[in-house]
Amino acid sequence: MKKNIVTVIVLLLCISVLAEDGYRLWLRYDKISDPAVLKSYRNHIGSIVLPGSSATLSIARNELQDNLRTLLDRNIPVVEKIKGKSIVAGTPASSLFVRQFLEERNLALGEEGYAIYTTTAGGKNIIVIAAQNDIGVLYGVYSFLKLLQTQQPVQALNIKTVPSVQRRMLNHWDNLNRTVERGYAGASIWNWHTLPDYIDKRYIDYARANASIGINGTVLTNVNANAQSLTKEYLIKAKALADVFRPYGIRVYLTARFSAPVEIGGLTTADPLEPEVQNWWKEKCKEIYSYIPDFGGFLVKANSEGQPGPQTYGRSHVEGANMFAEALEPYAGIVIWRAFVYDVRVQKKDEHFEEGKKEAAGESIAAADRFKQAYAEFKPFDGQFRSNVLIQVKNGPIDFQPREPFSPLFGATPQTPLTMEFQMTLEYLGQATHLVYEAPLFKEVLDADTWAKGEGSTVARVIDGSLFQHKISGTAGVANIGNERNWTGHPFGQANWYAFGRLAWNDQLTSEEIAEEWIRQTFSNQPDFVDAVKKIMMASREAVVNYMTPLGLHHIMGTGHHYGPAPWVDNGGRADWNPVYYHRADEKGIGFDRTAAGSNAIAQYYPQVQARWKDVNTCEEDYLLWFHHVSWLHPMKSGRTLWDELCFRYQQGVDTVRWMQDTWNALQPYLDRQQFEQVKMLLDIQEKEAMWWRNACLLYFQTFSKRPIPDGVEKPDHDLEYYKNLRFPYAPGIGGRL
Ligand code: BDP
């Protein structure tokens, strides 16, 4: 009996060790499951020739050897001499063969690009992974391993790829006490307390994961910055991380608190025009570069949501940003200055409510509209920033909503390079409990045409610098990473990290292609499984739009924590923190009039873009309530009234989640129990919350529309008061606010 119990315990332990807990991300490299594919790989891969002793080349060699061993279930020796079936990898400096190969083909691979070709050496077939620099070799190695993991043919390779954007960065909103602003996946992975002496294995695994998708920068600290991170003590800690990341091609950046010269420097002012302040930052940069010679630069949130900035001293964003730029210039560092700003004049709630009241009385239309602020503040400065300044713009004009029109700043500043800011942490899209694949959101924005220089002036071309011929380019994603075992809380959160990196490297990839790569590496190559999961992922973004904010509704989430529906909230600290400010529902209709008759925010777009949205009768329905206050009885394309359509969209969102649940449940045979159960439980929460969103929003909006919920839409199971009374004092993600 006792023996049996022991056996059971041992078995359970083995299962739990073997269980797929998500830690390995998309870098699993398990044995190729398809015997025919495995055989073909074994026939084509016989040895590794990867000379060179740099840290990066050593990593590349080890990655290749270690992972080929598990993928092919046999040892692939590292040798010096090229033979048939060799994989030859290197740069012109590390390998004569690669030098000749690149010279013959004249491939332009730039600083970080790589080529993977099937070619011949001495009449024998070999595979070459070639790059100009060591980091390109490492990228090429990960890319080659991906081909194997996704079971692609390797007989006739001719891949050549260079990144779309230069600075491909994660932004961590991590605080020094390990809380994470808008973090839903545990504590910060940076353990500042034990740095610099203790190097957590996670730091290395983090670097590997990022390098495998081409991410080459990380901002370690929250945009709501803490000056302490710039003290010597913390710089030494940051240096330890930079040392770990460097061989993986990843540079470290820090957020700079504008008032740091006062807070940690003992000065009485942080005025950017004061020589002593300028000097303080120059000395600080000198110090930083003495620890981290390849430090990327500063990310700055200034004069936004209470953060100090140049306006605190009567100076402009240009004066502030250029002060940092000058201090960083000798070291080739850059300043990434955020455009997520609020006009200081909009700080008093009463002003807004006064405007709102006037508007309701038909006296005047409120010109104030948070939508317009970033453009209004930054467009006039175009051409005035120093050449190492990038302006970082959130994808939409408000704040990471399930769907936003692209920010009108994209295309509006021909002389100023702009960085994209996406958010993987899903603050407003179900956080880490909803399955939402963001690549379609990213693509929708990147592919949008700004018309800045005629047709084809896409946001992607603004960002990659090609539209206006900028010398620097960048893209950033607010990380969804924490110390949860599987890194992102929701196992599918990993797909958003992955998709961000892949699109930063190649903005031409489709959402489907990226999903497929990720699924095959993360779960399984079984075609039926891949197809089904891809369908779930591709449907998920539209689902969240429908059950949260259909038809162009936005920012109607619970104030503060942004968890759950709260369209009724009207007592937030600032008018534009209130859902009622955004949906403007009344007896006549719903939506924010941003046409010439309203706030006229639409005028910030080029005329061809305005044409997409300016007429209530032809406006794309996905954006309708972003730009128009629309009658409840307005006829929609479906033939329904706006009210009925709204109800149907909410229901459709719920129905899609149920379809996702059914589809997932049918996939159980393909999955490890833990993987299956985890996602199943989360989808159950998602369904519950989708119903909550539908019920709460429809009941509330019905108090204005005064119309019945149409047949075919499930009736709410509680009354409006019930939903209004729900409280979430411990909702995640805000604990770390400074
Ligand atoms: C909002 C978040 C807030 C961030 C802010 C920002 O709610 O926590 O500090 O954006 O981007 O989305 O600065």
Side-chain angles (χ1 to χ4, degrees), residues 93-326:
S94 72
S95 153
L96 186 62
F97 182 87
V98 168
R99 190 195 311 164
Q100 284 163 353
F101 170 85
L102 287 176
E103 274 166 10
E104 273 162 30
R105 285 183 181 66
N106 203 14
L107 296 175
L109 299 176
E111 295 275 300
E112 298 173 297
Y114 58 87
I116 309 178
Y117 273 60
T118 306
T119 182
T120 52
K124 302 259 170 55
N125 274 351
I126 62 153
I127 293 169
V128 62
I129 302 176
Q132 283 305 332
N133 295 310
D134 293 357
I135 187 63
V137 177
L138 183 60
Y139 290 154
V141 162
Y142 284 123
S143 179
F144 178 70
L145 291 170
K146 177 175 69 190
L147 291 175
L148 305 189
Q149 265 211 112
T150 55
Q151 303 195 357
Q152 306 305 304
V154 296
Q155 288 88 321
L157 297 167
N158 64 342
I159 296 170
K160 185 208 134 193
T161 174
V162 294
S164 304
V165 170
Q166 292 162 3
R167 311 254 177 169
R168 305 175 296 278
M169 299 174 289
L170 290 184
N171 286 186
H172 288 265
W173 287 358
D174 294 17
N175 298 312
L176 301 181
N177 63 5
R178 295 196 79 174
T179 55
V180 180
E181 175 138 1
R182 310 306 175 183
Y184 311 101
S188 168
I189 53 172
W190 319 133
N191 189 341
W192 294 101
H193 185 66
T194 55
L195 280 167
D197 303 315
Y198 187 84
I199 300 299
D200 192 329
K201 181 169 178 294
R202 259 201 201 242
Y203 305 152
I204 301 162
D205 293 333
Y206 167 88
R208 271 185 88 208
N210 281 321
S212 77
I213 49 175
I215 288 173
N216 66 2
T218 179
V219 183
L220 300 176
T221 46
N222 191 354
V223 285
N224 296 316
N226 182 338
Q228 288 304 314
S229 59
L230 299 178
T231 57
K232 181 176 176 195
E233 190 191 350
Y234 278 87
L235 290 177
I236 290 170
K237 294 170 189 277
K239 170 192 159 42
L241 290 174
D243 290 344
V244 173
F245 301 160
R246 186 167 301 110
Y248 291 89
I250 298 166
R251 284 174 191 229
V252 155
Y253 298 69
L254 291 170
T255 47
R257 182 153 165 96
F258 202 83
S259 48
V262 177
E263 291 172 32
I264 58 168
L267 303 190
T268 51
T269 177
D271 181 343
L273 296 194
E274 279 296 330
E276 56 169 0
V277 174
Q278 296 170 352
N279 210 41
W280 189 87
W281 283 110
K282 283 185 182 149
E283 287 301 312
K284 189 43 78 183
C285 287
K286 196 165 152 199
E287 186 189 355
I288 295 175
Y289 281 91
S290 75
Y291 295 122
I292 310 173
D294 55 352
F295 179 65
F298 293 128
L299 172 65
V300 188
K301 171 174 177 178
N303 294 117
S304 165
E305 298 185 326
Q307 292 300 306
Q311 292 169 357
T312 319
Y313 302 92
R315 312 297 183 195
S316 70
H317 286 297
V318 171
E319 287 161 329
N322 284 351
M323 171 190 65
F324 287 105
E326 215 181 317

Side-chain angles (χ1 to χ4, degrees), residues 652-670:
Q652 204 182 336
V654 174
D655 291 344
T656 308
V657 176
R658 289 183 183 148
W659 169 84
M660 286 159 62
Q661 288 175 296
D662 292 343
T663 311
W664 183 258
N665 290 343
L667 297 174
Q668 183 163 14
Y670 296 95

Side-chain angles (χ1 to χ4, degrees), residues 374-405:
Y375 179 104
E377 287 206 47
F378 282 88
K379 162 105 180 133
F381 293 138
D382 188 28
Q384 297 180 42
F385 292 102
R386 293 179 79 99
S387 61
N388 56 338
V389 177
L390 279 159
I391 302 297
Q392 183 160 304
V393 183
K394 288 189 181 182
N395 60 271
I398 300 292
D399 199 4
F400 300 136
Q401 297 301 297
R403 169 167 280 124
E404 296 200 34

